[in-house]
Amino acid sequence: DIPFVKMPYVDNQLLATKEQTEKTEGFTFGQEFQVDYNLFNAGIWTQLVNGDRMWRLGVSSQGAYSINLVFNRFYLPENSTMFIYTKDKRHVLGAFTAKNNTKDKVFPTTVLPGDEIVIEYYEPKEVKDQAEIHLSSVVHAYKDVFFTQGKYGRSGPCHTNINCDEGLSFQDVKRSVALILYINQAMCTGSLINNTANDETPYLLTAKHCLTNKNPSYFVFVFGYETLGCDNNTGSNGFSISGATLIADGSNSDFALLKLNTKPPFSYSPYYAGWNRSNIAVMPSFCIHHPSGDYKKISICTSILESSSYDEVVPNTHWEVTAWSKGATEAGSSGSALLNFNKQIIGQLEGGTSSCYNPTGYDLYGKLSYSWTNNDNSNPNKRLKDWLDPLNTETYSLVAFDPCIPKYQYDASILEINYPTASIC
């Protein structure tokens, strides 16, 4: 009985071919349709016997490899819930609750496979007519980039999956890395980063140029998007967080510090990477990233870093990887963290000439040591110091924070239930 709204026809092959001849920003995977659907002009309401209600709306886009949505007016009252799922119910997002409300009322979603999905809103009678759900965009994916079977997906053939032997020592810090989606593009990579309070504030470090002409409220951060093994043909679609706020940024070292709208829950296995702001060149160094929006990869540099700059604008603002000994970077890798041998963040990727087809190309990472005060900038929104060191410890190095490690050596547990002896419904 669920009514479905249908999107215009999309020729997947035509759009994919057209993109090959046109230079596009980021890694575009879908066609965005502007729509105008809400609780009053679409879908169907079902009255429940206890006075509660349920609203459901189906969205169909024939031939889509996946569908994702943007709500530009989104507000859920307390105790209400919203789910979004594929028609066969094999893939489910939610429950979304009042905890997902934001000041600007924007709510984007990650992708769901297939060409038919359902939005389901449950409303207790106590909060009748208090919700606001306005669907403003539907994205039809004309590329199968997020569900491609195979080792390399859409990125170049030189990349190494994070769950290969080269990534075994990075199984902890890989959990901090997220793919950043923006409406119909796989834009960049970012990393959760720790602060001296060790309080799980969901700060995420990426590149400033990833935010050019973009509102981070529309970003979706996908954690755990990786292959299940090294050569396996299957991968995990990961877990998503919708929206963020810009906390601080700087142009010279191309950094942006975001605060996610929602703290990644324990079920996501989050990890807040440590950092080192010493201006000392190191070797080896590593990068965990999502090239071309592909599954999570690792690149390795075994030569010492060089102090450099991007386009020679401001000297000594970047660490230069003169050449990768394994792997490379490409569109979608921007904003990914450069790690030292202690797996601490020392910079984030701005750009370079590196690729699988240019193995001797270089990459430039904005220095954390420069971004710390951004050339002694007095504005807290233009430097990292105030946010990553809220306790004002003046430390040069901070270890990671892993909320998944038990805080106590012992925990209470139930040994036996003596009463009741029968099952009680």
Side-chain angles (χ1 to χ4, degrees), residues 387-405:
W387 313 101
L388 300 188
D389 187 17
L391 302 184
N392 199 29
T393 64
E394 297 294 340
T395 183
Y396 275 78
S397 177
L398 183 68
V399 297
F401 179 74
D402 188 348
C404 299
I405 296 178

Side-chain angles (χ1 to χ4, degrees), residues 400-425:
F401 179 74
D402 188 348
C404 299
I405 296 178
K407 297 180 181 179
Y408 306 100
Q409 184 176 359
Y410 301 106
D411 196 5
S413 62
I414 296 175
L415 298 180
E416 184 180 1
I417 298 177
N418 297 314
Y419 183 87
T421 58
S423 300
I424 297 178
C425 181

Side-chain angles (χ1 to χ4, degrees), residues 150-151 161-163 225-230 232 234-236 295:
K151 182 177 179 181
N161 287 319
I162 187 61
N163 290 325
Y225 180 64
E226 57 193 62
T227 57
L228 300 181
C230 181
N232 289 355
T234 57
S236 168
Y295 290 128

Side-chain angles (χ1 to χ4, degrees), residues 94-105:
F96 302 115
T97 68
K99 293 182 179 180
N100 297 101
N101 295 336
T102 60
K103 291 182 179 179
D104 58 11
K105 293 188 175 183

Side-chain angles (χ1 to χ4, degrees), residues 94-169:
F96 302 115
T97 68
K99 293 182 179 180
N100 297 101
N101 295 336
T102 60
K103 291 182 179 179
D104 58 11
K105 293 188 175 183
V106 172
F107 186 73
T109 76
T110 189
V111 295
L112 280 171
D115 59 4
E116 288 186 308
I117 64 172
V118 175
I119 307 167
E120 179 179 293
Y121 167 64
Y122 167 73
E123 178 185 80
K125 59 184 177 182
E126 295 80 10
V127 293
K128 184 178 179 181
D129 293 332
Q130 293 183 22
E132 188 172 15
I133 299 175
H134 180 259
L135 180 62
S136 57
S137 292
V138 174
V139 177
H140 168 115
Y142 56 82
K143 290 181 181 176
D144 192 19
V145 60
F146 297 107
F147 305 95
T148 295
Q149 304 255 326
K151 182 177 179 181
Y152 299 115
R154 295 282 179 172
S155 63
C158 71
H159 292 291
T160 302
N161 287 319
I162 187 61
N163 290 325
C164 291
D165 290 343
E166 293 85 348
L168 293 182
S169 299

Side-chain angles (χ1 to χ4, degrees), residues 82-97:
M82 189 179 83
F83 289 91
I84 305 173
Y85 50 86
T86 55
K87 189 177 181 181
D88 59 11
K89 299 183 180 178
R90 293 180 59 189
H91 302 271
V92 181
L93 301 179
F96 302 115
T97 68

